[in-house]
Amino acid sequence: EVQLVESGGGLVQPGGSLRLSCAASGFTFSSYWMHWVRQAPGKGLVWVSRINSDGSSTSYADSVKGRFTISRDNAKNTLYLQMNSLRAEDTAVYYCARDLSGYYYNWGQGTLVTVSS
Amino acid sequence: QSALTQPRSVSGSPGQSVTISCTGTSSDVGGYNYVSWYQQHPGKAPKLMIYDVSKRPSGVPDRFSGSKSGNTASLTISGLQAEDEADYYCCSYAGSYTFRVFGGGTKLTVL
């Protein structure tokens, strides 16, 4: 069974940093592109970032470019999102998702990030 | 990176059909056959319902169907059931720079 388990969320002050993790199991992690998608409270889904299977190529939404860094450790079957210079508008549930050639077949349960003083 | 346009809400009675539209541009919906639809119940992770415009993953009832015409994709749910009440999001590939874009979401109410 495919499982994606996010962790690392929490309360952080504006300007602070946080690193999210997504532990994958049940599939060959190193063969798939992975994404982060976020959802602010009461709002819709927003694509954040993606990384290719070997970690050599990444993309970011304009709203997080230069502040967030996506990475992966295929030996540990884990996806990461390093978030720096956090703003109130980054407050959201962050989901990791497995990319199956253009769509998200599997999602994690999400981890909540709250940016507030 | 503008979101795709969806109606904020739609409703229907049990057994009826509803259609949710998703309007983008030639740079996303109209330019690629990589439109997918997700169902999300409150407090839950999204669930894939349709991919590649009109394909259904195994386990998704055939009451759910997808289509596309020009820059607008559509999700049709026939034979509405109470458990279909949820938020629905469309998503499209948008090129190598923007990459992916979601719609703003549509709340489906089963009356």
Side-chain angles (χ1 to χ4, degrees):
Chain A
E1 179 194 3
V2 170
Q3 281 202 313
L4 297 171
V5 180
E6 301 95 337
S7 61
L11 175 64
V12 61
Q13 292 189 337
S17 298
L18 215 53
R19 188 176 83 155
L20 306 183
S21 299
C22 170
S25 61
F27 65 101
T28 305
F29 180 72
S30 59
S31 296
Y32 293 91
W33 290 28
M34 297 293 295
H35 295 240
W36 288 99
V37 176
R38 70 183 181 183
Q39 186 171 35
K43 302 296 184 181
L45 301 171
V46 176
W47 175 76
V48 173
S49 183
R50 67 92 188 166
I51 187 167
N52 69 346
S53 56
D54 67 4
S56 62
S57 175
T58 59
S59 298
Y60 299 92
D62 285 345
S63 57
V64 306
K65 198 168 296 183
R67 300 187 299 122
F68 289 12
T69 302
I70 190 172
S71 63
R72 64 193 297 160
D73 185 334
N74 285 344
K76 295 183 177 180
N77 291 342
T78 303
L79 174 73
Y80 302 101
L81 186 67
Q82 177 67 43
M83 304 185 295
N84 298 331
S85 302
L86 283 161
R87 308 166 180 167
E89 54 264 36
D90 295 319
T91 294
V93 173
Y94 285 74
Y95 295 100
C96 64
R98 178 170 72 138
D99 187 333
L100 254 68
S101 299
Y103 55 95
Y104 305 116
Y105 195 84
N106 306 101
W107 297 70
Q109 85 289 349
T111 187
L112 176 63
V113 172
T114 303
V115 184
S116 175
S117 55
Chain B
Q1 294 174 341
S2 301
L4 305 176
T5 301
Q6 297 181 233
R8 292 188 69 105
S9 65
V10 297
S11 62
S13 299
Q16 289 186 332
S17 294
V18 295
T19 295
I20 300 171
S21 61
C22 170
T23 301
T25 69
S26 58
S27 296
D28 38 64
V29 174
Y32 310 94
N33 287 324
Y34 291 126
V35 177
S36 51
W37 289 88
Y38 302 88
Q39 176 192 66
Q40 187 180 37
H41 287 106
K44 300 296 187 180
K47 175 188 175 184
L48 177 69
M49 304 303 285
I50 294 288
Y51 68 99
D52 293 353
V53 176
S54 60
K55 297 177 182 177
R56 231 179 9 258
S58 61
V60 172
D62 58 7
R63 302 185 294 104
F64 291 83
S65 62
S67 63
K68 189 184 85 167
S69 177
N71 296 336
T72 298
S74 299
L75 173 71
T76 298
I77 309 170
S78 58
L80 271 177
Q81 298 183 4
E83 58 262 35
D84 298 335
E85 186 163 293
D87 293 324
Y88 291 85
Y89 295 90
C90 61
C91 180
S92 175
Y93 177 68
S96 59
Y97 179 76
T98 303
F99 212 79
R100 291 270 169 86
V101 62
F102 282 93
T106 299
K107 181 175 180 57
L108 168 63
T109 300
V110 180
L111 302 170

